[in-house]
Amino acid sequence: MDGHGSFRLEARGVRKSFGGVEVLHGVDLDAVGGSVLALLGENGAGKSTLVKIIAGDYQPDEGALTIAGEQVTSLDPLAARRFGIRMIYQELADAPPLSVAENISLGRWPSRRGVISWGAVRRRAQRVLEQLDVDLDLDAPVGSLRVGERQVVEIARALSDEARCLVLDEPTAALSAPEVERLFAFVRRLRDQGVAIIYITHRLDEVRALADRVTVLRDGDVVLNGASADLDRRALVSAMVGSSVGDVERPEDVHEAERSDTPALRLRDASVTGAFADVDLAVYPGEVLTLYGKLGSGTTEVAAAVYGLRRLSTGTMEIEGRPTTVAGPNEAIRAGIGYLPADRQREGAFMVRSVAENLSAPSWSRLARYGVVITRRLEAVAYRRWHDELSIRSRNDPEQLLATLSGGNQQKVLLGRWLERRSQVLVLVEPTRGVDVGARQEIYRSIRALASQGVGVLVSTSDYEEVVQVSDRAAVMARGRIVARLAGDDITTARLTQEAGG
Ligand code: ADP
Ligand code: MG
């Protein structure tokens, strides 16, 4: 390998169009050996397209690359590989039926006199997994592994011969917290060995933890470039979303629900002993009603009770005017109630199932009657319907695993499943907890799109900016009771915090 830090990759004036639409408008990027460049941007900004050009997967329409001092106008994947460029793709690019060892040598089979050397395949795998300090069964088919483990295999493949530039495209979307820590440790180790790292993310905490420099793309342009130590969260967010985020704005399509309608959901004098009391509320079709309160104020318990996770001690619930009792989630779903819990990683999301299957999950019992072939076809129909309606950004592929979508898009899929189920009432608990600021705006748009389909949406949240951005009306809870009701221009962060604290 060259001396420490000597590798350099420069992209200059890169332009790229797809079907006549330009998605990169003359972009510059610099990756330097021994440092981590975070490439930031919202979904659709052009990050993946840019790094696919660097990996030789796409040809730029204009622009040039200089790699290790050599100017190239275009690259193919083989040439990129010879330059030491390795890519971990956003979507898993492995071969599920093949073993761990085979996947690590995929496309670069060690051979002697034209015959694949299976001993060498195993030795190579063993060596690289040892370097990475991970313990995986070399003979297990990767299709049987968890997504995080499959990603480790992808990393092992990328590193199984000398890498000088490693590109990771949103690698943590499907990883658990300890897996993220381990990935960061790999990345730091490689950086210290002089590898140039390009790390794509839209998670700002990862930028702080990992990056030396930051380049922000927005709609195909570089809008910010600098040392990460000089850039605070606010600067990064406003570069990503293109506006100042300090001023939280009310959505434009807020409306007063038609009060002549029957409420989609109504609670009268509802209480759960020890959690909340005397809760009266009505959510009308087509509106978003937010229950706002600090932790422990009772908002999550009200949401849980509507979905049958807590039994009402007193009071009644009505769905579209019909008195309804729900003894559990199955009854709630049958009554037309959908629910999105705060912890999506553990509850409700089937990360290693496809987007189409996830969209159809609450309808599985209905679909089960039809057998596999028809079910697949119905899932594909559901996929096409909601993919566009909720602007889910993914490959145009119903079979794509949920885990490979960004957090915000996973959330949209989970919203879409309740539309597919034709729920009249949707209960969302902390819908953007752990979601980055940019993706949050998209989720708010999806929630409002849901309401505009005629669903009555009840959001339980402890985030007052969320209340301002998503609600038609808001009820503030404190110590288990509703203490204020706000609508229209009265929904401000100042009012909300004042009422919740008082
Ligand atoms: P990011 O990775 O920042 O989310 P992408 O590079 O994937 O963004 O996409 C940038 C834009 O280019 C998007 O509008 C996307 O729809 C479009 N795009 C990406 N790849 C293709 C493709 N193969 N064909 C057509 N459009 C594409
Ligand atoms: Mg991408």
Side-chain angles (χ1 to χ4, degrees), residues 152-196:
V152 170
V153 175
E154 300 253 55
I155 291 168
R157 175 166 62 225
L159 301 182
S160 62
D161 55 7
E162 190 182 295
R164 300 211 291 170
C165 177
L166 179 67
V167 183
L168 300 107
D169 192 350
E170 301 201 30
T172 56
L175 301 189
S176 65
E179 287 168 333
V180 169
E181 276 312 309
R182 197 163 58 181
L183 175 72
F184 283 11
F186 297 159
V187 170
R188 291 192 188 104
R189 186 141 30 109
L190 289 166
R191 176 199 59 198
D192 294 343
Q193 290 167 8
V195 176

Side-chain angles (χ1 to χ4, degrees), residues 47-48 90 169-170:
K47 307 178 297 295
S48 294
Q90 187 165 11
D169 192 350
E170 301 201 30

Side-chain angles (χ1 to χ4, degrees), residues 42-49 51-52 90-91 169-170 200:
E42 289 210 274
N43 277 317
K47 307 178 297 295
S48 294
T49 303
V51 294
K52 281 177 180 169
Q90 187 165 11
E91 308 89 17
D169 192 350
E170 301 201 30
I200 298 184

